[in-house]
Amino acid sequence: MAKELWEGNAAIAEAAIRAGLEAFFGYPITPQTEVLEHFSKRLPELGRVFLQAESEVASINMVYGAACAGARVMTSSSSPGVSLMQEGFSYIACSEVPAVVTNIMRGGPGLGNVQPAQGDYFQAVKSAGHGDFHMIVLAPSNVQEAIDLMVLAFDLAEKYRTIVMFVADGSIGQMMEPAEMPPMRPVRPPEERAEWALTGAQGRKPNIITSLYLGAENMERVNIRLQAKLREIEKNEVRWKEYSTEDADLLLVAFGTVGRVCQTVVREAREQGLKVGLLRPITLWPFPGQRIAALAEQVKGILTVEMNAGQMVEDVRLAVEGRCPVRFYGRMGGPIPLPDEILPELEKLNAEVGGEEE
Amino acid sequence: MAVEIPEDMELVYSYPESLTKVRTHYCPGCTHGVVHRLIAEVLDELGVRERTIGIAPVGCSVLAYYYFNMDFAEAAHGRAPAMATGIKRVSPDKVVFTYQGDGDLAAIGTAEIIHAANRGELFTTIFVNNAIYGMTGGQMAPTTLPGQVTTSSPTGRNVQTAGWPIRMAELLAELPGVAYVTRQSVLDVPAIRKAKKAIKLAFQTQLAGLGFSMVEILSTCNTNWHMTPVEALEWAKEHMVDYFPLGDTKMTDAVRALKEGK
Ligand SMILES: Cc1ncc(C[n+]2csc(CCOP(=O)(O)OP(=O)(O)O)c2C)c(N)n1
């Protein structure tokens, strides 16, 4: 298929449709409303389900229901709406049904604003809801990658029967870029829904989907199974991209929009004679910590750049375990860190680790 | 298990196929079991067990999925109508019902039930009103009567501070998407027979695609009311029925025609 000009949010929605999405349930919130609007037009014309729910609490529980019924389903929101969905994330994770959620992150805390931000890293990666679980968290840095990851999100959700969160900041959602859509996958017919799904106990024993396990031992057994699955995901699904790391003395770590800005920083720093590389995590969970640890043996220092007060940097430090200094630069509540701000931070780090400019 | 019936005899009673043969965890005297049985008999009679999906609430009936012999999901507290919406929208040929208590439906899940009803979602809600939070040990519910003593209204429900009991059957009747809403009870045998008819009509309403249907059922909680089962039935008849009058609050013409077999 040829490249076309796509707005991020519409591209995300269309990619989900191409991936065989059967139903969308959601509630309007800026800066993701175009996702919902795209679905509101496209899904009914394709004979699929679109429903504007009364709240994000309802949306996620509709997703939970449709997922229990074995349908490919998703919802989409932005930060304050995602907070409301956290009850559902926890139930979905424990019940082990596949579901996809996108968070087009905005400035916070509180009502915040509608500017692009990455302040929901902790929420997505560390505290998606009550109890012990993780979501798979995918973070694109441009529209094409958003499309590709949307398709992957459904495959991962179904492969592991888990919840997958797709996080992008508002600038990816709102920017226009040339990108290529995948071909339309056929929607799975209802008679081909998974054998665990609630499809009516016709000629078989009833299927029960629950997250209630009374008794300490019972609940622990479920937790052990969930943890084993998470370890499996950690083993198989870590994704990242590297830029100019082969000979790097200094390493940038950044995701999403800042990850993209940092590609420019690498180029400009190298023009200045600083041997800088970049690692851009694509899965925020599972986190590419092993690779960062390996690079920490090679480089003299690491600078993590984020659109928040310093969240992913904690995972970088956990991975690096003191092998080299890890510093942080961030902006909060909307501003996107620019190369002009990041370069001096790299110079500072270079001076700190006793590096020279060539 | 097919039972051989001699030619000169008629089968008048058997165990519903829609129930599993296990002992329930409900307190002796609790009316949840009666309501379960009525639903099961209706689903058997309609021949839809194998295409029915139930949704259990959070409350004493949280384990309802062990007692119904059909596919079941367990919802978060109050969210059963949202889950039912999700299931029914992607499986329109299935029969879907939620089973909910008064805390679940009329407090934490008020938004979900009102909007599902208002959209005319094609599922059925069985709403068990026992005027108390049973599972958590007898706290005040949105349906607790004025002056009623509970563990969180130790001097009796004070309507000045705690508000009035909510009449859900009347509230939902206002919504255009609602086809059939009725309030019944399981407080004596004639009432139980009527309740069964209402449950059947509610599922028939769903099967005919006429709109949202709900049967509110006045029930007892002798344990948390601190009464014997018989005292509890009497108390409910004496006090609950006054505030929560029995009967249909909404029946569209289409449902009436269905009822009258037209
Ligand atoms: C979000 C959430 N809040 C509170 C609870 C605790 N809780 C469990 S059951 C229940 C009350 C249920 O009462 P009701 O719906 O009237 O059903 P009953 O137990 O009387 O049958 C509460 C408050 C919970 N499980 N989840």
Side-chain angles (χ1 to χ4, degrees), chain A residues 168-293:
Chain A
D169 54 72
S171 58
I172 294 171
Q174 313 253 309
M175 75 168 111
M176 301 270 287
E177 279 191 314
E180 192 181 332
M181 275 291 156
M184 184 76 86
R185 276 193 207 169
V187 167
R188 181 176 39 219
E191 38 318 333
E192 284 172 28
R193 288 186 182 163
E195 79 286 349
W196 51 260
L198 306 182
T199 53
Q202 189 165 11
R204 61 156 168 79
K205 281 205 180 125
N207 285 338
I208 292 168
I209 298 183
T210 183
S211 65
L212 177 74
Y213 295 92
L214 297 172
E217 242 96 272
N218 259 345
M219 193 72 241
E220 187 174 57
R221 251 197 306 281
V222 171
N223 268 285
I224 288 169
R225 190 179 73 231
L226 292 175
Q227 290 300 317
K229 176 163 82 178
L230 295 177
R231 297 297 84 77
E232 190 65 21
I233 295 171
E234 282 178 326
K235 207 169 77 198
N236 302 337
E237 306 300 344
V238 184
R239 286 171 170 79
W240 72 92
K241 226 169 165 160
E242 290 180 31
Y243 307 82
S244 311
T245 49
E246 310 77 36
D247 63 341
D249 291 331
L250 300 174
L251 181 70
L252 286 162
V253 181
F255 73 96
T257 293
V258 212
R260 188 172 180 171
V261 172
C262 284
Q263 292 173 45
T264 308
V265 176
V266 169
R267 212 172 45 237
E268 291 182 4
R270 282 186 176 259
E271 275 163 21
Q272 255 178 249
L274 281 177
K275 279 197 197 157
V276 175
L278 163 67
L279 185 143
R280 178 171 67 80
I282 294 171
T283 50
L284 302 185
W285 197 94
F287 190 68
Q290 276 185 3
R291 180 58 191 152
I292 291 173

Side-chain angles (χ1 to χ4, degrees), chain A residues 87, chain B residues 32 58-61 77 101-104 108 130 132-136:
Chain A
E87 174 191 60
Chain B
H32 270 305
V58 176
C60 284
S61 46
H77 197 17
D102 43 68
D104 196 78
I108 196 166
N130 61 6
I132 207 154
Y133 281 18
M135 193 198 206
T136 39

